[in-house]
Amino acid sequence: MSTDVEVTGLHKSFGDLEVLKGIDLKVEPGEVVCIIGPSGSGKSTLLRCVNLLEEPSSGTVRVGGTELTDPDVDIDAARRRIGMVFQSFNLFPHLTALGNVTIAQRKVLKRDKDEAERIGRDNLKRVGLADKVDSYPAQLSGGQQQRVAIARALAMGPEVMLFDEPTSALDPELVGDVLAVMRKLAVDGMTMLVVTHEMSFAREVADRVVFMDGGVVVEQGPPSQVIANPSQERTRSFLARVLNPAKVGEE
């Protein structure tokens, strides 16, 4: 089951610094939207506002028709519909992979031990880690830890998945395994909002690419347009630096 996300007139300030300057973004059920842009453009803040880890200064966020920014909303219930995966894995070092994937199910969803473990094993298998259920985080590579973090989010049964640069902390050779899991989620029809620097992933998997800079959406459209043939000069200069860093260094 997937659902839609609608962000309207979203502003977010930290003191005098306005980070988001009126974002409008609609994500359809089952759509994969990749958000690209330079550091400090507001990409991660936008994701954190979607599940109210950051409270918007103004504007509305709706997930599946429920307005998360309504003061009377049951935010805990609404948040359960949204899975989030961060740059850092945030695993409990004293728990096994299975323990990390079951703890929130038992504490938040009140599932019994057997059901939580069954769902936990299913989701570890889903991310290619069926043989690592009894391994502790210290025994796993960074890519494997990130896949445990994805399994943990999936075990809660989300309708939307948010990924905040999930591969940026990984060694290059470990990135592919995590992206493969995300590709499979896309094929399975999960609604996904992905902040990423992985242009090949965005080109291949995204239904739509959103380029942000300076707290606004500069350009959006299919990858064939935004990445291959951007209409805005700011998008072109960003992609030139990302796709050809050596060439930029020669200038």
Side-chain angles (χ1 to χ4, degrees):
M1 181 183 178
S2 59
T3 193
D4 67 323
V5 178
E6 188 169 9
V7 174
T8 308
L10 192 68
H11 289 258
K12 177 60 182 178
S13 297
F14 296 96
D16 293 334
L17 178 65
E18 190 177 20
V19 178
L20 298 178
K21 302 174 182 176
I23 301 290
D24 295 312
L25 183 64
K26 177 83 188 283
V27 184
E28 299 296 339
E31 189 179 19
V32 179
V33 173
C34 283
I35 304 172
I36 63 172
S39 295
S41 58
K43 309 183 300 293
S44 294
T45 301
L46 171 59
L47 274 202
R48 293 172 70 86
C49 284
V50 168
N51 70 349
L52 261 60
L53 285 177
E54 296 288 356
E55 193 167 333
S57 302
S58 63
T60 59
V61 176
R62 284 186 176 82
V63 175
T66 300
E67 187 188 331
L68 272 63
T69 39
D70 181 339
D72 297 325
V73 75
D74 181 346
I75 190 60
D76 291 331
R79 245 196 219 126
R80 279 176 214 144
R81 303 170 71 182
I82 308 167
M84 186 152 184
V85 177
F86 301 87
Q87 293 180 37
S88 52
F89 325 123
N90 300 320
L91 300 180
F92 292 110
H94 64 289
L95 295 178
T96 63
L98 186 60
N100 270 283
V101 175
T102 57
I103 188 167
Q105 294 185 64
R106 295 176 66 185
K107 301 273 188 194
V108 177
L109 301 182
K110 307 301 183 190
R111 287 176 180 155
D112 66 38
K113 181 172 182 285
D114 288 345
E115 184 186 14
E117 289 196 352
R118 177 182 60 75
I119 291 169
R121 287 177 189 277
D122 285 348
N123 280 289
L124 285 166
K125 182 178 180 182
R126 193 174 174 186
V127 300
L129 293 174
D131 59 336
K132 299 293 184 184
V133 291
D134 295 323
S135 298
Y136 289 88
Q139 298 169 311
L140 300 172
S141 71
Q144 289 170 332
Q145 290 184 60
Q146 188 62 294
R147 284 187 281 155
V148 172
I150 294 172
R152 176 181 57 191
L154 292 174
M156 303 297 282
E159 298 163 29
V160 176
M161 285 287 284
L162 310 177
F163 291 89
D164 188 5
E165 298 192 22
T167 59
S168 64
L170 302 179
D171 292 334
E173 70 269 23
L174 303 176
V175 167
D177 291 338
V178 173
L179 294 181
V181 169
M182 294 169 65
R183 277 190 194 93
K184 188 170 184 308
L185 286 179
V187 170
D188 290 344
M190 177 66 75
T191 307
M192 294 163 59
L193 257 172
V194 184
V195 171
T196 186
H197 290 299
E198 300 287 342
M199 293 302 143
S200 58
F201 175 81
R203 191 184 281 122
E204 180 188 336
V205 178
D207 297 300
R208 185 158 36 115
V209 173
V210 174
F211 173 66
M212 285 181 66
D213 190 27
V216 300
V217 172
V218 175
E219 183 170 358
Q220 61 176 304
S224 58
Q225 173 196 315
V226 175
I227 296 178
N229 189 28
S231 63
Q232 300 297 314
E233 176 55 38
R234 183 67 193 91
T235 317
R236 284 197 288 273
S237 82
F238 169 76
L239 288 168
R241 290 176 178 276
V242 170
L243 298 173
N244 299 297
K247 199 169 180 182
V248 172
E250 291 168 5
E251 291 173 2

